Amino acid sequence: MTNGISLNTKKILVTGSNGLLGQKITDLALADPAIDLIATSKGENRHPVKEGYSYIDLDILNEQRLREVVAEYRPDAIINTAAMTNVDACEQDPEGCRKLNVGAVAELASLSEAFGIHLIHLSTDFIFDGAEGPYAEDAIPNPLSLYGQSKLDAERIIQQSHSKWAILRTILVYGVVADMSRSNIVLWAKGALEKGQPLKVVNDQWRMPTLAEDLAQACLLAATKEAEGLYHISGKDMFSIDELVAAVADFWGLDKSLISQVSSATLNQAAPRPKRTGFLLDKARTVLGYEPHSFSEGLAVVDRQLKAEK
């Protein structure tokens, strides 16, 4: 034992720990005595539990500060959850998108190489054009948006680095934490329908929504198993977006007549979206031991957490 920490403890640094995924990773790490967690994010720590791990206010765009933190803590693994993920915002702020989604990742890859760190990076189904989903890991990327392109460019930088790496691509993450910085499709649909607000929802895009707890589990499985390569991580159920919102309405007994179906073309969004993504999960199941919740099970998890907050 060293300072109360077992010598076989894995030291894991997480970027973007204030986000939904970051907070779920913190939850799981706190429950695992074999993980020594260094949580980093911009600003104050949003996680309700402040003890049992280190928290550092860190903007990963500050290369000097990032280097100092990595050099000081020397983690075994870095899980990079920090990103600009608003697809239309990336289209409107290409420079900001490139800085966070590509530039910061290049620096993390360089530091991981220099310090012998296992880099685990989060990517997206939006690297694909949606013509032939669901996709296996070796499918050919063809992003439609600046967001998708930025995430693909980051993947290629990591793959060309000499660091030990794993890239986990995911789809439409949902869930709830006590201090949310932004919403997600499940909470948005539930909240709007509870207020009696009519919703226009696209019926020509298909996704496999991912429970945040499942994705967090996959990140820690990749870290603890020292997995390398590409992994597709999502939920197990494929829905069109209007079916997904209808399932949310059904689960909470809300009024589905408020939901009207529209085509993507009518929304005038800044960035085009892939039509049908979805993932084949065989590799993640076999190598990582990943097994996601069904969507209805995921909604039940969210429901329990919402009730526990009251």
Side-chain angles (χ1 to χ4, degrees), residues 6-201:
S6 165
L7 289 175
N8 61 2
T9 300
K10 192 166 283 284
K11 191 186 287 187
I12 299 174
L13 186 148
V14 176
T15 69
S17 68
N18 278 337
L20 173 59
L21 173 59
Q23 292 198 45
K24 296 301 185 184
I25 292 173
T26 299
D27 289 341
L28 291 177
L30 284 170
D32 187 342
I35 294 175
D36 177 12
L37 177 69
I38 304 110
T40 76
S41 209
K42 278 173 72 172
E44 290 187 17
N45 186 5
R46 286 189 170 159
H47 197 281
V49 179
K50 313 296 183 191
E51 304 293 324
Y53 64 104
S54 304
Y55 178 81
I56 301 160
D57 176 358
L58 174 65
D59 178 354
I60 66 166
L61 292 177
N62 184 335
E63 289 188 5
Q64 183 180 344
R65 178 75 181 122
L66 176 61
R67 204 172 295 124
E68 288 169 357
V69 168
V70 170
E72 179 183 351
Y73 285 89
R74 301 288 179 108
D76 300 302
I78 292 174
I79 301 174
N80 180 38
T81 80
M84 184 186 286
T85 57
N86 183 312
V87 185
D88 293 323
C90 285
E91 214 73 20
Q92 289 147 1
D93 179 15
E95 187 181 351
C97 172
R98 297 286 307 175
K99 278 182 180 172
L100 187 54
N101 290 359
V102 185
V105 176
E107 184 63 21
L108 284 169
S110 173
L111 289 169
S112 297
E113 197 174 297
F115 290 98
I117 296 165
H118 182 200
L119 178 59
I120 298 159
H121 176 68
L122 274 295
S123 193
T124 174
D125 59 325
F126 274 45
I127 66 160
F128 297 111
D129 59 18
E132 295 182 4
Y135 292 94
E137 284 82 357
D138 59 358
I140 306 300
N142 182 33
L144 302 177
S145 61
L146 287 179
Y147 167 67
Q149 187 63 54
S150 73
K151 297 298 283 186
L152 179 59
D153 290 347
E155 285 193 13
R156 287 175 172 160
I157 287 168
I158 292 168
Q159 289 168 330
Q160 288 161 12
S161 77
H162 296 289
S163 62
K164 181 177 179 180
W165 59 267
I167 294 168
L168 275 52
R169 297 173 178 150
T170 193
I171 305 173
L172 206 60
V173 181
Y174 68 94
V176 64
V177 290
D179 190 348
M180 298 280 286
S181 59
R182 52 180 298 197
S183 191
N184 51 74
I185 191 164
V186 167
L187 298 184
W188 166 76
K190 178 177 182 288
L193 293 171
E194 283 174 342
K195 291 173 190 158
Q197 296 173 353
L199 293 181
K200 288 184 176 179
V201 187

Side-chain angles (χ1 to χ4, degrees), residues 21 25 28 79 120-128 134-137 155 166-174 207-223 225 227-237 277-293:
L21 173 59
I25 292 173
L28 291 177
I79 301 174
I120 298 159
H121 176 68
L122 274 295
S123 193
T124 174
D125 59 325
F126 274 45
I127 66 160
F128 297 111
Y135 292 94
E137 284 82 357
E155 285 193 13
I167 294 168
L168 275 52
R169 297 173 178 150
T170 193
I171 305 173
L172 206 60
V173 181
Y174 68 94
R207 303 285 183 265
M208 291 169 73
T210 310
L211 180 66
E213 277 82 355
D214 288 341
L215 182 55
Q217 184 75 60
C219 289
L220 291 181
L221 284 168
K225 290 175 181 280
E228 296 185 64
L230 288 166
Y231 295 90
H232 282 178
I233 304 291
S234 71
K236 59 172 72 168
D237 302 316
T277 63
F279 287 155
L280 303 176
L281 302 176
D282 309 52
K283 183 180 177 184
R285 284 182 163 124
T286 303
V287 180
L288 299 179
Y290 174 70
E291 191 52 57
H293 291 77

